Amino acid sequence: MRTTPDESANELLDVVPIVMRDIRSEMRSRRSHDLTVPQFRTLAFVNRNTGSSLLEVANFMGLTPPSASRLVDVLISRGFMTREEQATDRRRVKLTVTRRGLAVLKTCREGTLAHLSDKLSCLAPEDREGIVRAMQTLRSVFATDTHKRALLK
Amino acid sequence: MRTTPDESANELLDVVPIVMRDIRSEMRSRRSHDLTVPQFRTLAFVNRNTGSSLLEVANFMGLTPPSASRLVDVLISRGFMTREEQATDRRRVKLTVTRRGLAVLKTCREGTLAHLSDKLSCLAPEDREGIVRAMQTLRSVFATDTHKRALLK
DNA sequence: TATTGTTATACTCTATAACTATA
DNA sequence: TATAGTTATAGAGTATAACAATA
């Protein structure tokens, strides 16, 4: 198999949206507590980085600050997150996942993983291994938040 | 490496949204003519399946009929697609990509592929090959439109 | 009556522009 | 003046419910 960058790009463009749609519709289903994908990812990020600022969220999510602000608004209105001022710099915001938010995050992640696992369970172990390796490769190319907190401050 | 279904599911859930965001923001950029991902996929599907009905689009896209109808509205309003009645069954709609739609589709695809190719060009050939194989595996698990037209009629 | 599709309505995502508050 | 964040505004994606037209 001769694999040019263009050929692999083509496969990515074809398949990634298909998998993404599956993830989205599983998350929006009641089973997983009805989080959108952006809500889920934001919640997960803030949970891993308690006290993070709005710009850190925006940067991780690849969003403009207003978009991130709206996303956070929704999560707060649903009781999944809180927003406070940072003591050292009152312009900055300090985001925290609530206990309820953590519970929803957990349910959503578990539900989605169970769904995906089920779909992948019919594959040969070496195929799953190939998927894991490919994802790791893709993360190294596309991830925006490697050492993010170190870079931001 | 022991790769359980859950482990591969976890990687998918982590990485797919990251790649997806990259694709989306490239498409929304002016370089690629500002198509959304759903618009791009719909245009590509109708281009491959000239004269397809609304329900075929909805099915391929994984959308409800009203959502697909809206999506098509936007594409028509931008002059990228036309909607006619089918002669044999006047309830059915016959969708066709216009010349202009085809040009935009081509520009968008090429721009996005060039962008992705560039990102993937730093990888070792065997890593790209791993990506291609993983995408093919994932397509076999997640694709909804295999033999779709045969199934629908 | 069943099928194909649209309209009405409501939310969310996302962007740009303009603004406020703090440093 | 520069930075962090929000508000205003607008277009698009998506769903459910209700409807119209055709078979």
Short mmCIF file of all heavy atoms in Angstrom, two decimals, chain A residues 34-83:
data_model
loop_
_atom_site.label_atom_id
_atom_site.label_comp_id
_atom_site.label_asym_id
_atom_site.label_seq_id
_atom_site.Cartn_x
_atom_site.Cartn_y
_atom_site.Cartn_z
N ASP A 34 -27.90 13.61 27.81
CA ASP A 34 -28.13 14.75 26.94
C ASP A 34 -27.10 15.88 27.09
O ASP A 34 -27.46 17.02 27.36
CB ASP A 34 -29.54 15.30 27.16
CG ASP A 34 -29.96 16.22 26.03
OD1 ASP A 34 -29.37 16.13 24.94
OD2 ASP A 34 -30.87 17.04 26.25
N LEU A 35 -25.84 15.56 26.95
CA LEU A 35 -24.83 16.61 26.79
C LEU A 35 -24.50 16.71 25.30
O LEU A 35 -24.49 15.71 24.59
CB LEU A 35 -23.54 16.23 27.53
CG LEU A 35 -23.51 16.34 29.04
CD1 LEU A 35 -22.14 15.93 29.56
CD2 LEU A 35 -23.86 17.74 29.52
N THR A 36 -24.21 17.93 24.84
CA THR A 36 -23.67 18.05 23.49
C THR A 36 -22.18 17.69 23.57
O THR A 36 -21.59 17.68 24.65
CB THR A 36 -23.79 19.48 22.95
OG1 THR A 36 -22.97 20.33 23.74
CG2 THR A 36 -25.24 19.96 23.00
N VAL A 37 -21.58 17.43 22.43
CA VAL A 37 -20.15 17.11 22.43
C VAL A 37 -19.32 18.27 22.98
O VAL A 37 -18.45 18.04 23.84
CB VAL A 37 -19.67 16.68 21.02
CG1 VAL A 37 -18.16 16.48 21.01
CG2 VAL A 37 -20.37 15.39 20.60
N PRO A 38 -19.56 19.51 22.55
CA PRO A 38 -18.79 20.61 23.14
C PRO A 38 -18.98 20.73 24.64
O PRO A 38 -18.03 21.00 25.38
CB PRO A 38 -19.34 21.85 22.41
CG PRO A 38 -19.83 21.32 21.11
CD PRO A 38 -20.37 19.96 21.41
N GLN A 39 -20.21 20.52 25.12
CA GLN A 39 -20.45 20.57 26.56
C GLN A 39 -19.65 19.49 27.27
O GLN A 39 -19.01 19.74 28.30
CB GLN A 39 -21.94 20.41 26.88
CG GLN A 39 -22.78 21.64 26.54
CD GLN A 39 -24.27 21.36 26.55
OE1 GLN A 39 -24.71 20.28 26.95
NE2 GLN A 39 -25.05 22.33 26.12
N PHE A 40 -19.69 18.32 26.72
CA PHE A 40 -18.95 17.20 27.31
C PHE A 40 -17.45 17.49 27.36
O PHE A 40 -16.81 17.30 28.40
CB PHE A 40 -19.19 15.94 26.48
CG PHE A 40 -18.31 14.78 26.85
CD1 PHE A 40 -18.58 14.00 27.96
CD2 PHE A 40 -17.18 14.48 26.08
CE1 PHE A 40 -17.76 12.93 28.31
CE2 PHE A 40 -16.35 13.42 26.43
CZ PHE A 40 -16.64 12.64 27.54
N ARG A 41 -16.91 17.98 26.27
CA ARG A 41 -15.47 18.22 26.23
C ARG A 41 -15.05 19.35 27.16
O ARG A 41 -14.00 19.32 27.80
CB ARG A 41 -15.02 18.51 24.81
CG ARG A 41 -15.31 17.33 23.87
CD ARG A 41 -14.19 17.07 22.90
NE ARG A 41 -13.82 18.24 22.16
CZ ARG A 41 -12.56 18.60 21.91
NH1 ARG A 41 -11.56 17.89 22.36
NH2 ARG A 41 -12.32 19.67 21.21
N THR A 42 -15.92 20.37 27.26
CA THR A 42 -15.62 21.49 28.15
C THR A 42 -15.64 21.03 29.61
O THR A 42 -14.73 21.34 30.38
CB THR A 42 -16.65 22.61 27.94
OG1 THR A 42 -16.55 23.06 26.59
CG2 THR A 42 -16.39 23.77 28.88
N LEU A 43 -16.66 20.27 29.92
CA LEU A 43 -16.79 19.75 31.27
C LEU A 43 -15.58 18.88 31.62
O LEU A 43 -15.00 19.00 32.70
CB LEU A 43 -18.08 18.92 31.33
CG LEU A 43 -18.99 18.96 32.55
CD1 LEU A 43 -19.13 20.34 33.13
CD2 LEU A 43 -20.36 18.39 32.17
N ALA A 44 -15.18 18.04 30.70
CA ALA A 44 -14.04 17.16 30.95
C ALA A 44 -12.76 17.96 31.13
O ALA A 44 -11.94 17.67 32.00
CB ALA A 44 -13.89 16.15 29.80
N PHE A 45 -12.60 18.99 30.32
CA PHE A 45 -11.39 19.81 30.41
C PHE A 45 -11.33 20.54 31.75
O PHE A 45 -10.30 20.53 32.43
CB PHE A 45 -11.35 20.83 29.26
CG PHE A 45 -10.19 21.79 29.36
CD1 PHE A 45 -8.91 21.39 28.99
CD2 PHE A 45 -10.37 23.08 29.83
CE1 PHE A 45 -7.82 22.25 29.09
CE2 PHE A 45 -9.30 23.96 29.94
CZ PHE A 45 -8.02 23.55 29.56
N VAL A 46 -12.43 21.16 32.14
CA VAL A 46 -12.43 21.92 33.40
C VAL A 46 -12.29 20.96 34.58
O VAL A 46 -11.65 21.29 35.58
CB VAL A 46 -13.70 22.78 33.52
CG1 VAL A 46 -13.79 23.45 34.89
CG2 VAL A 46 -13.71 23.85 32.42
N ASN A 47 -12.84 19.78 34.42
CA ASN A 47 -12.67 18.79 35.49
C ASN A 47 -11.20 18.40 35.66
O ASN A 47 -10.72 18.22 36.78
CB ASN A 47 -13.53 17.57 35.20
CG ASN A 47 -13.49 16.56 36.35
OD1 ASN A 47 -13.10 15.42 36.17
ND2 ASN A 47 -13.89 17.01 37.52
N ARG A 48 -10.50 18.28 34.57
CA ARG A 48 -9.07 17.96 34.63
C ARG A 48 -8.24 19.16 35.04
O ARG A 48 -7.10 19.00 35.49
CB ARG A 48 -8.56 17.53 33.24
CG ARG A 48 -8.91 16.13 32.79
CD ARG A 48 -8.04 15.70 31.61
NE ARG A 48 -8.01 16.64 30.50
CZ ARG A 48 -8.90 16.66 29.49
NH1 ARG A 48 -9.87 15.77 29.45
NH2 ARG A 48 -8.80 17.54 28.52
N ASN A 49 -8.77 20.37 34.83
CA ASN A 49 -8.02 21.61 35.09
C ASN A 49 -8.85 22.55 35.94
O ASN A 49 -9.23 23.64 35.50
CB ASN A 49 -7.66 22.29 33.77
CG ASN A 49 -6.85 21.40 32.84
OD1 ASN A 49 -5.64 21.30 32.96
ND2 ASN A 49 -7.54 20.74 31.92
N THR A 50 -9.11 22.14 37.16
CA THR A 50 -9.98 22.93 38.02
C THR A 50 -9.44 24.34 38.18
O THR A 50 -8.24 24.54 38.36
CB THR A 50 -10.09 22.25 39.39
OG1 THR A 50 -10.69 20.98 39.20
CG2 THR A 50 -10.94 23.07 40.35
N GLY A 51 -10.37 25.30 38.11
CA GLY A 51 -9.98 26.69 38.26
C GLY A 51 -9.47 27.32 36.97
O GLY A 51 -8.96 28.44 37.00
N SER A 52 -9.64 26.64 35.85
CA SER A 52 -9.11 27.20 34.60
C SER A 52 -9.90 28.44 34.20
O SER A 52 -11.03 28.66 34.62
CB SER A 52 -9.11 26.15 33.50
OG SER A 52 -10.42 25.80 33.19
N SER A 53 -9.28 29.26 33.38
CA SER A 53 -9.90 30.51 32.93
C SER A 53 -10.70 30.27 31.67
O SER A 53 -10.60 29.21 31.04
CB SER A 53 -8.82 31.54 32.65
OG SER A 53 -8.13 31.20 31.46
N LEU A 54 -11.44 31.28 31.28
CA LEU A 54 -12.23 31.16 30.07
C LEU A 54 -11.34 31.00 28.84
O LEU A 54 -11.64 30.22 27.94
CB LEU A 54 -13.12 32.39 29.88
CG LEU A 54 -14.08 32.21 28.71
CD1 LEU A 54 -15.27 31.39 29.14
CD2 LEU A 54 -14.49 33.52 28.13
N LEU A 55 -10.25 31.72 28.79
CA LEU A 55 -9.39 31.64 27.61
C LEU A 55 -8.72 30.28 27.49
O LEU A 55 -8.46 29.81 26.38
CB LEU A 55 -8.35 32.75 27.61
CG LEU A 55 -8.91 34.16 27.38
CD1 LEU A 55 -7.78 35.17 27.23
CD2 LEU A 55 -9.83 34.21 26.18
N GLU A 56 -8.46 29.66 28.62
CA GLU A 56 -7.92 28.31 28.55
C GLU A 56 -8.94 27.35 27.93
O GLU A 56 -8.58 26.52 27.10
CB GLU A 56 -7.50 27.83 29.95
CG GLU A 56 -6.22 28.50 30.43
CD GLU A 56 -5.90 28.21 31.89
OE1 GLU A 56 -6.82 28.23 32.73
OE2 GLU A 56 -4.72 27.97 32.20
N VAL A 57 -10.18 27.51 28.31
CA VAL A 57 -11.23 26.69 27.71
C VAL A 57 -11.33 26.97 26.21
O VAL A 57 -11.37 26.06 25.38
CB VAL A 57 -12.60 26.97 28.39
CG1 VAL A 57 -13.73 26.32 27.61
CG2 VAL A 57 -12.59 26.45 29.82
N ALA A 58 -11.36 28.25 25.87
CA ALA A 58 -11.49 28.64 24.47
C ALA A 58 -10.34 28.05 23.65
O ALA A 58 -10.55 27.53 22.55
CB ALA A 58 -11.52 30.16 24.34
N ASN A 59 -9.17 28.13 24.20
CA ASN A 59 -8.00 27.63 23.50
C ASN A 59 -8.07 26.11 23.32
O ASN A 59 -7.86 25.59 22.23
CB ASN A 59 -6.74 28.01 24.27
CG ASN A 59 -5.51 27.51 23.57
OD1 ASN A 59 -5.13 28.05 22.54
ND2 ASN A 59 -4.91 26.47 24.10
N PHE A 60 -8.41 25.41 24.39
CA PHE A 60 -8.54 23.95 24.29
C PHE A 60 -9.60 23.56 23.28
O PHE A 60 -9.41 22.64 22.47
CB PHE A 60 -8.88 23.36 25.66
CG PHE A 60 -9.30 21.92 25.59
CD1 PHE A 60 -8.38 20.93 25.29
CD2 PHE A 60 -10.63 21.56 25.81
CE1 PHE A 60 -8.77 19.60 25.20
CE2 PHE A 60 -11.02 20.23 25.73
CZ PHE A 60 -10.09 19.25 25.42
N MET A 61 -10.70 24.27 23.30
CA MET A 61 -11.82 23.92 22.44
C MET A 61 -11.65 24.44 21.03
O MET A 61 -12.41 24.08 20.13
CB MET A 61 -13.13 24.47 23.02
CG MET A 61 -13.54 23.81 24.33
SD MET A 61 -14.03 22.07 24.09
CE MET A 61 -15.54 22.29 23.12
N GLY A 62 -10.70 25.31 20.80
CA GLY A 62 -10.54 25.90 19.48
C GLY A 62 -11.66 26.86 19.15
O GLY A 62 -12.08 26.96 18.01
N LEU A 63 -12.13 27.59 20.17
CA LEU A 63 -13.24 28.52 19.99
C LEU A 63 -12.80 29.95 20.25
O LEU A 63 -11.80 30.18 20.94
CB LEU A 63 -14.37 28.20 20.98
CG LEU A 63 -15.06 26.85 20.86
CD1 LEU A 63 -16.03 26.65 22.00
CD2 LEU A 63 -15.77 26.76 19.52
N THR A 64 -13.57 30.90 19.73
CA THR A 64 -13.35 32.29 20.11
C THR A 64 -13.85 32.48 21.55
O THR A 64 -14.71 31.73 22.01
CB THR A 64 -14.14 33.24 19.18
OG1 THR A 64 -15.52 32.93 19.29
CG2 THR A 64 -13.68 33.09 17.74
N PRO A 65 -13.34 33.50 22.24
CA PRO A 65 -13.81 33.72 23.62
C PRO A 65 -15.32 33.87 23.75
O PRO A 65 -15.90 33.27 24.67
CB PRO A 65 -13.06 35.00 24.02
CG PRO A 65 -11.80 34.96 23.21
CD PRO A 65 -12.20 34.36 21.89
N PRO A 66 -15.99 34.62 22.88
CA PRO A 66 -17.45 34.69 23.05
C PRO A 66 -18.13 33.33 22.95
O PRO A 66 -19.06 33.04 23.70
CB PRO A 66 -17.90 35.60 21.89
CG PRO A 66 -16.71 36.40 21.55
CD PRO A 66 -15.53 35.52 21.80
N SER A 67 -17.66 32.49 22.03
CA SER A 67 -18.27 31.17 21.89
C SER A 67 -18.05 30.34 23.15
O SER A 67 -18.97 29.67 23.64
CB SER A 67 -17.67 30.44 20.69
OG SER A 67 -17.93 31.14 19.51
N ALA A 68 -16.86 30.41 23.68
CA ALA A 68 -16.58 29.66 24.90
C ALA A 68 -17.42 30.19 26.06
O ALA A 68 -17.93 29.42 26.88
CB ALA A 68 -15.09 29.76 25.23
N SER A 69 -17.59 31.51 26.09
CA SER A 69 -18.37 32.12 27.16
C SER A 69 -19.82 31.61 27.14
O SER A 69 -20.40 31.27 28.17
CB SER A 69 -18.33 33.64 27.00
OG SER A 69 -18.90 34.28 28.11
N ARG A 70 -20.39 31.52 25.94
CA ARG A 70 -21.75 31.02 25.81
C ARG A 70 -21.86 29.56 26.23
O ARG A 70 -22.82 29.16 26.89
CB ARG A 70 -22.22 31.12 24.36
CG ARG A 70 -22.44 32.52 23.86
CD ARG A 70 -23.30 33.31 24.82
NE ARG A 70 -24.06 34.33 24.13
CZ ARG A 70 -25.16 34.11 23.43
NH1 ARG A 70 -25.67 32.90 23.37
NH2 ARG A 70 -25.77 35.07 22.81
N LEU A 71 -20.87 28.80 25.81
CA LEU A 71 -20.85 27.38 26.16
C LEU A 71 -20.86 27.22 27.68
O LEU A 71 -21.63 26.43 28.25
CB LEU A 71 -19.57 26.79 25.56
CG LEU A 71 -19.40 25.31 25.42
CD1 LEU A 71 -20.62 24.65 24.83
CD2 LEU A 71 -18.19 25.04 24.53
N VAL A 72 -20.03 28.01 28.33
CA VAL A 72 -19.95 27.97 29.79
C VAL A 72 -21.27 28.44 30.40
O VAL A 72 -21.74 27.86 31.39
CB VAL A 72 -18.75 28.82 30.27
CG1 VAL A 72 -18.84 29.10 31.75
CG2 VAL A 72 -17.44 28.11 29.92
N ASP A 73 -21.88 29.47 29.82
CA ASP A 73 -23.19 29.93 30.30
C ASP A 73 -24.18 28.78 30.41
O ASP A 73 -24.89 28.64 31.40
CB ASP A 73 -23.80 30.95 29.31
CG ASP A 73 -23.16 32.32 29.41
OD1 ASP A 73 -22.46 32.58 30.41
OD2 ASP A 73 -23.37 33.13 28.49
N VAL A 74 -24.23 27.97 29.34
CA VAL A 74 -25.19 26.88 29.32
C VAL A 74 -24.87 25.87 30.42
O VAL A 74 -25.77 25.42 31.14
CB VAL A 74 -25.20 26.18 27.94
CG1 VAL A 74 -26.07 24.94 27.97
CG2 VAL A 74 -25.68 27.14 26.86
N LEU A 75 -23.60 25.55 30.56
CA LEU A 75 -23.22 24.57 31.58
C LEU A 75 -23.54 25.09 32.98
O LEU A 75 -23.97 24.33 33.85
CB LEU A 75 -21.74 24.23 31.45
CG LEU A 75 -21.41 23.40 30.21
CD1 LEU A 75 -19.91 23.34 29.96
CD2 LEU A 75 -21.97 21.98 30.35
N ILE A 76 -23.36 26.38 33.19
CA ILE A 76 -23.68 26.97 34.49
C ILE A 76 -25.19 26.97 34.70
O ILE A 76 -25.67 26.62 35.78
CB ILE A 76 -23.11 28.40 34.58
CG1 ILE A 76 -21.59 28.32 34.67
CG2 ILE A 76 -23.69 29.13 35.78
CD1 ILE A 76 -20.90 29.64 34.55
N SER A 77 -25.93 27.32 33.66
CA SER A 77 -27.39 27.37 33.81
C SER A 77 -27.96 25.99 34.10
O SER A 77 -29.02 25.87 34.69
CB SER A 77 -28.03 27.97 32.56
OG SER A 77 -28.01 27.01 31.51
N ARG A 78 -27.24 24.97 33.67
CA ARG A 78 -27.71 23.61 33.95
C ARG A 78 -27.15 23.08 35.28
O ARG A 78 -27.38 21.93 35.63
CB ARG A 78 -27.34 22.67 32.80
CG ARG A 78 -28.02 23.07 31.48
CD ARG A 78 -27.72 22.12 30.36
NE ARG A 78 -28.31 20.81 30.57
CZ ARG A 78 -28.15 19.77 29.76
NH1 ARG A 78 -27.39 19.90 28.68
NH2 ARG A 78 -28.70 18.61 30.03
N GLY A 79 -26.37 23.92 35.95
CA GLY A 79 -25.86 23.52 37.27
C GLY A 79 -24.68 22.59 37.24
O GLY A 79 -24.39 21.91 38.23
N PHE A 80 -23.96 22.57 36.13
CA PHE A 80 -22.85 21.63 35.99
C PHE A 80 -21.50 22.29 36.27
O PHE A 80 -20.48 21.61 36.33
CB PHE A 80 -22.81 21.04 34.57
CG PHE A 80 -24.04 20.29 34.18
CD1 PHE A 80 -24.34 20.07 32.85
CD2 PHE A 80 -24.92 19.79 35.15
CE1 PHE A 80 -25.48 19.36 32.48
CE2 PHE A 80 -26.06 19.09 34.78
CZ PHE A 80 -26.34 18.87 33.45
N MET A 81 -21.48 23.60 36.44
CA MET A 81 -20.23 24.33 36.55
C MET A 81 -20.48 25.64 37.30
O MET A 81 -21.60 26.14 37.30
CB MET A 81 -19.73 24.63 35.13
CG MET A 81 -18.27 24.95 35.01
SD MET A 81 -17.80 25.23 33.30
CE MET A 81 -17.40 23.58 32.77
N THR A 82 -19.43 26.16 37.93
CA THR A 82 -19.54 27.49 38.55
C THR A 82 -18.45 28.40 38.00
O THR A 82 -17.41 27.94 37.55
CB THR A 82 -19.39 27.44 40.08
OG1 THR A 82 -18.09 26.92 40.39
CG2 THR A 82 -20.44 26.56 40.72
N ARG A 83 -18.73 29.70 38.11
CA ARG A 83 -17.80 30.72 37.61
C ARG A 83 -17.57 31.74 38.72
O ARG A 83 -18.52 32.34 39.21
CB ARG A 83 -18.43 31.40 36.38
CG ARG A 83 -17.70 32.60 35.86
CD ARG A 83 -18.13 32.95 34.43
NE ARG A 83 -19.56 32.85 34.19
CZ ARG A 83 -20.12 32.90 32.97
NH1 ARG A 83 -19.38 33.03 31.91
NH2 ARG A 83 -21.42 32.80 32.84
#
